[in-house]
Amino acid sequence: MGLLDKEFAEELKEEFDYKKHLVNKHQLNEKAKGYRDKTIARGYKTGIRIIDDVIVMKPKEMHACTGKKGRGKTTIQEIFFLIWAMANNLHCVLALQENEEALEKNNFLGYIFGCNPIEVENYNPELFNKVNKWFDEHFIFINVETMKEAVQVVEGIVKNDHKVDLLFCDPVNSFESGYSDTGNSHKDDKITVMKMLQFTKTCSVFVSQHPTMSGQRSVEDINSYSAEGGYYLNKSHFTWAINRDNGSNINRISVDNVRNKYTGGDVTHKDFPLEIVWDRYKIDAVYDGVIEENIIQQIRKRVNPFKEVFTENLPNVIEQKELPKVTPKDAFGEPDNEVPF
């Protein structure tokens, strides 16, 4: 008998141990009970029903969002991250490939204050510094080129005793894998998605995806099935799409799949999406005929994450100061000077 024959004979002697592949009954029953008595954590809500009925931040799950370029998928997701962080004290890590971090931070601050951040910085520096510190504690921007690096950075942050609830990779199509570089894009993407799915045991993962070229060119709203590649669609627990017409300030949010209904969220009818109406510093939500205005300021006042003192119905953002009374002479000089009006 040759060497190869002996090795093959040894392999035949080894019995397959089926028992190590059985799900532990005790652990299974404990988890099933946890679902029944609601001791297993559900998704994080905002306190605004029309949003919470559709989309929640689901702990330790993968969320895949699809949207056309320039139609608001980054901005809208960041708005959700902000309201979840304010309402639930969540901590987020953002890896942005196509947006400048400092500009995004100013956008965040503008939504929090409901005005240009420079106004608060000038007239109420104490509040500005308080909110700025809160933001830096709850939002960390990272600069990475691969999905593997993004995971490694988050693991390092967590190891350094800093809480991380979600990782946002935007857009996922612009990252290299870092896990596999075989030259076979199908194989590499499949391996990468599996690695990211495993990483959800550490924190939730949000990815935004460009659609296929045909989806990008389509005049119709796209959905999760329009995503380029489709790998995250197949593995994600929660898939959704963000659409907006050119020149409009109304984003339509459609939820296409919710794998775990227990942790929250629900699919939407294609003709009845959740709408987010935004302008520079104000966000409204509309769903099923219900309108919730200025949702960020609602949460800011109700949760009060910045320990503010509120006056009447508005956040005490800017100290009101009486404008000085001046005459044309004070403003433009001596009477001999020409007054320009």
Side-chain angles (χ1 to χ4, degrees):
M1 181 182 293
L3 180 61
L4 292 178
D5 293 330
K6 289 182 179 179
E7 291 179 352
F8 182 68
E10 289 296 322
E11 290 180 4
L12 289 178
K13 292 180 181 178
E14 295 181 4
E15 292 186 10
F16 179 77
D17 185 6
Y18 75 92
K19 294 182 180 180
K20 69 180 182 179
H21 297 279
L22 299 178
V23 175
N24 183 283
K25 292 182 180 180
H26 175 72
Q27 294 176 352
L28 176 65
N29 289 330
E30 283 295 309
K31 192 166 186 178
K33 185 177 185 303
Y35 280 123
R36 294 196 302 272
D37 61 21
K38 300 181 180 180
T39 55
I40 291 179
R42 297 198 178 200
Y44 295 102
K45 297 184 177 182
T46 65
I48 298 175
R49 184 186 62 79
I50 62 172
I51 292 177
D52 297 336
D53 284 351
V54 176
I55 182 170
V56 298
M57 205 298 273
K58 299 157 79 70
K60 298 185 178 181
E61 295 190 19
M62 185 184 291
H63 310 65
C65 177
T66 307
K68 296 179 183 178
K69 184 174 180 61
R71 300 300 174 89
K73 63 180 178 295
T74 301
T75 300
I76 297 303
Q77 287 187 87
E78 288 179 344
I79 288 169
F80 278 108
F81 301 154
L82 178 59
I83 58 180
W84 288 329
M86 291 173 65
N88 302 281
N89 194 34
L90 301 187
H91 296 72
C92 313
V93 173
L94 312 181
L96 309 180
Q97 287 289 71
E98 298 179 358
N99 295 75
E100 210 279 316
E101 291 87 353
L103 292 176
E104 294 306 301
K105 177 174 181 178
N106 276 337
N107 288 337
F108 275 111
L109 294 177
Y111 285 127
I112 293 174
F113 290 127
C115 65
N116 191 327
I118 192 64
E119 297 181 45
V120 186
E121 190 173 20
N122 288 339
Y123 293 104
N124 196 341
E126 181 180 354
L127 177 60
F128 179 88
N129 291 333
K130 184 187 299 184
V131 172
N132 191 58
K133 180 181 178 182
W134 176 92
F135 183 86
D136 288 343
E137 290 174 349
H138 290 77
F139 288 86
I140 297 175
F141 293 95
I142 64 174
N143 181 15
V144 295
E145 297 298 326
T146 71
M147 299 297 286
K148 183 177 181 179
E149 287 175 336
V151 165
Q152 290 174 323
V153 171
V154 173
E155 288 174 337
I157 294 171
V158 172
K159 188 176 181 180
N160 200 37
D161 295 327
H162 188 96
K163 179 186 176 192
V164 176
D165 295 291
L166 70 87
L167 166 65
F168 179 43
C169 295
D170 175 56
V172 71
N173 313 71
S174 296
F175 288 86
E176 296 292 336
S177 167
Y179 288 107
S180 178
D181 186 18
T182 65
N184 182 327
S185 60
H186 172 76
K187 182 177 180 180
D188 293 341
D189 289 340
K190 187 175 180 180
I191 291 172
T192 304
V193 174
M194 289 303 300
K195 292 291 186 179
M196 299 307 294
L197 185 62
Q198 294 169 8
F199 183 63
T200 59
K201 296 176 182 179
T202 298
C203 72
S204 295
V205 172
F206 282 75
V207 298
S208 65
Q209 307 170 95
H210 290 310
T212 61
M213 189 57 67
S214 61
Q216 183 70 32
R217 292 173 176 170
S218 172
V219 297
E220 302 294 329
D221 281 1
I222 63 169
N223 55 37
S224 300
Y225 304 95
S226 306
E228 189 175 83
Y231 302 99
Y232 286 90
L233 167 70
N234 293 332
K235 300 301 180 185
S236 293
H237 303 88
F238 187 95
T239 62
W240 50 313
I242 296 176
N243 290 279
R244 176 171 60 82
D245 296 331
N246 263 334
S248 171
N249 67 332
I250 301 175
N251 279 88
R252 297 180 293 275
I253 296 176
S254 302
V255 179
D256 298 317
N257 180 261
V258 180
R259 183 172 295 172
N260 187 349
K261 292 290 185 68
Y262 171 85
T263 52
D266 200 1
V267 297
T268 58
H269 188 280
K270 66 182 182 67
D271 295 327
F272 300 102
L274 169 66
E275 293 182 338
I276 299 296
V277 185
W278 55 270
D279 64 22
R280 191 72 182 87
Y281 302 116
K282 179 174 177 286
I283 305 296
D284 301 333
V286 182
Y287 185 64
D288 197 24
V290 178
I291 301 174
E292 290 285 356
E293 295 186 351
N294 222 346
I295 58 174
I296 294 177
Q297 299 306 318
Q298 280 194 43
I299 295 171
R300 178 180 171 188
K301 186 177 181 187
R302 173 170 49 82
V303 180
N304 198 10
F306 315 121
K307 310 300 184 222
E308 299 175 71
V309 176
F310 296 100
T311 58
E312 298 179 357
N313 294 320
L314 297 174
N316 187 19
V317 173
I318 300 176
E319 296 176 355
Q320 299 298 320
K321 296 184 178 181
E322 185 179 355
L323 294 175
K325 296 180 175 60
V326 298
T327 65
K329 178 180 177 181
D330 296 326
F332 301 106
E334 297 300 323
D336 293 340
N337 295 342
E338 182 180 351
V339 176
F341 53 79

